[in-house]
Amino acid sequence: AQSVSQHNHHVILSEAASLELGCNYSYGGTVNLFWYVQYPGQHLQLLLKYFSGDPLVKGIKGFEAEFIKSKFSFNLRKPSVQWSDTAEYFCAVKNSGTYKYIFGTGTRLKVLA
Amino acid sequence: GAVVSQHPSWVICKSGTSVKIECRSLDFQATTMFWYRQFPKQSLMLMATSNEGSKATYEQGVEKDKFLINHASLTLSTLTVTSAHPEDSSFYICSARPGPDTGELFFGEGSRLTVL
């Protein structure tokens, strides 16, 4: 069965530190990949997505993610985090051509001012 | 981005009663809506896929008679938790897919159900 694994459940960083959140999935076919963010008290919002093309995807607010097919990974990065990046981050995968999203367990990021 | 609204945001009910949660796409037509359930410290688990005008498709292990889903229009889907029990207490989130496939889902703010 398809699954998505996020290795870091809780991450605490100081402002200006670099961020990398891991995401691995299990599926052998063509997939579409997403990172969603949920700020405290708000809806889930799309940060970035990968469908095809350049495996390095840039999203909003300075986030980027790299799709490494051989490693079944789609790690999220940001060179310098801000206090306002405090949120929960979810990696999601769906089979290309379907709408069934599989979410990871989420990573709670806390950025200390 | 597109807006999806859920109502109510939170609800407390007695065991044995039924609760209805609404999910509306406010500024777009959603041919497909999805209902998720989130347990504390766990991921969003897909419960069912709701297509306008047809029966919902439930995921394995989800009781269709317990969680009734109706998608009567392109902007409204409802989830009714029937004969609720304390173990149904959870955070329920809906999402909607706009007509042309951008690959992006838009999420509601979620509804927290507490069954006493």
Side-chain angles (χ1 to χ4, degrees):
Chain A
Q2 257 186 315
S3 66
V4 178
S5 177
Q6 290 182 243
H7 318 296
N8 318 99
H9 298 293
H10 294 274
V11 174
I12 300 176
L13 295 172
S14 298
E15 273 196 315
S18 64
L19 170 73
E20 180 159 2
L21 301 182
C23 173
N24 286 88
Y25 65 93
S26 65
Y27 181 69
T30 303
V31 295
N32 304 138
L33 300 150
F34 307 83
W35 275 98
Y36 282 85
V37 61
Q38 188 170 30
Y39 297 104
Q42 296 188 29
H43 302 211
L44 279 164
Q45 301 170 39
L46 182 68
L47 265 183
L48 47 78
K49 63 184 178 184
Y50 173 80
F51 272 44
S52 63
D54 187 345
L56 184 62
V57 181
K58 299 210 182 284
I60 60 172
K61 304 187 181 187
F63 286 90
E64 64 179 32
E66 185 174 12
F67 170 49
I68 303 179
K69 190 174 181 179
S70 61
K71 295 185 178 180
F72 297 90
S73 71
F74 190 55
N75 292 356
L76 180 71
R77 299 193 292 249
K78 185 170 184 178
S80 176
V81 293
Q82 300 172 315
W83 176 81
S84 57
D85 293 324
T86 294
E88 188 158 17
Y89 293 81
F90 292 91
C91 180
V93 174
K94 74 173 182 75
N95 297 353
S96 176
T98 73
Y99 308 108
K100 184 175 173 180
Y101 287 58
I102 307 297
F103 283 85
T105 49
T107 299
R108 285 184 184 273
L109 170 67
K110 184 169 184 176
V111 180
L112 304 174
Chain B
V3 179
V4 175
S5 177
Q6 272 183 252
H7 178 80
S9 301
W10 56 270
V11 57
I12 301 172
C13 69
K14 292 183 179 180
S15 188
T17 61
S18 295
V19 173
K20 181 186 283 188
I21 300 170
E22 292 186 347
C23 177
R24 293 181 185 273
S25 56
L26 298 185
D27 51 3
F28 66 99
Q29 293 185 328
T31 53
T32 309
M33 289 185 172
F34 304 86
W35 286 95
Y36 292 85
R37 183 174 178 176
Q38 188 177 28
F39 293 98
K41 298 183 181 180
Q42 294 189 32
S43 183
L44 286 77
M45 301 298 296
L46 180 65
M47 298 175 64
T49 301
S50 167
N51 292 298
E52 186 265 338
S54 63
K55 290 184 179 180
T57 303
Y58 290 81
E59 294 301 303
Q60 193 172 13
V62 178
E63 298 176 61
K64 55 184 71 174
D65 294 330
K66 159 69 91 174
F67 299 101
L68 299 179
I69 291 172
N70 184 275
H71 193 160
S73 78
L74 287 171
T75 58
L76 174 64
S77 177
T78 60
L79 167 68
T80 302
V81 183
T82 62
S83 187
H85 290 280
E87 56 265 30
D88 299 325
S89 298
S90 193
F91 196 56
Y92 294 89
I93 303 175
C94 75
S95 67
R97 178 182 74 87
D101 187 13
T102 63
E104 181 176 356
L105 288 182
F106 295 95
F107 287 84
E109 59 268 63
S111 300
R112 183 164 299 285
L113 170 64
T114 301
V115 184
L116 303 176

